[in-house]
Amino acid sequence: MPAEALSPAPQAINAAFHIQRSLRHCLSSAAELLYENGHVLETITLAQRGLAHRELESLNHQHPSWAMCQQVLEESGAATFNDYGRFVLTAMGRELMFDMFGQGAADCA
């Protein structure tokens, strides 16, 4: 089998790198915006907590960049809405948050 068939295409590697970089940027931005608005990281890292829709609307209104980051987090599978309709990180999102900010940022990862 040719070596080209065994290794991923450079475009796929490059795209995956940019997606992960964008995702990490959004997680970092989310952490900063949460802090600026009186929240703690556990607001989104604990599956039973999360941000209510009115809190998300407030973040969208005060920080236009929040909407883009929320979209990236949802589309990448790093965030979702829990059974209570609140915005939280998924296991993958918590793991990335843990990698970036340490154990205290995502105790349940």
Side-chain angles (χ1 to χ4, degrees):
M1 185 174 256
E4 298 86 29
L6 297 175
S7 62
Q11 295 96 350
I13 292 171
N14 197 25
F17 170 78
H18 287 295
I19 289 169
Q20 186 177 65
R21 183 173 146 189
S22 177
L23 179 56
R24 288 180 181 270
H25 175 77
C26 285
L27 285 167
S28 178
S29 293
E32 179 181 356
L33 294 175
L34 287 171
Y35 177 75
E36 286 178 6
N37 287 277
H39 297 282
V40 294
L41 285 178
E42 286 80 3
T43 302
I44 59 172
T45 60
L46 296 175
Q48 68 273 19
R49 289 196 60 191
L51 292 167
H53 286 283
R54 77 177 143 69
E55 293 166 321
L56 291 172
E57 288 174 12
S58 176
L59 283 167
N60 282 325
H61 180 70
Q62 293 176 9
H63 306 281
S65 62
W66 176 268
M68 189 231 14
C69 281
Q70 181 180 340
Q71 181 179 356
V72 168
L73 292 172
E74 287 182 63
E75 289 178 358
S76 68
T80 191
F81 287 87
N82 66 14
D83 293 339
Y84 306 104
R86 298 172 71 88
F87 184 76
V88 295
L89 295 181
T90 62
M92 178 189 68
R94 288 188 303 271
E95 185 66 31
L96 284 170
M97 191 69 82
F98 173 81
D99 287 345
M100 292 170 54
F101 295 105
Q103 186 172 3
D107 288 334
C108 56

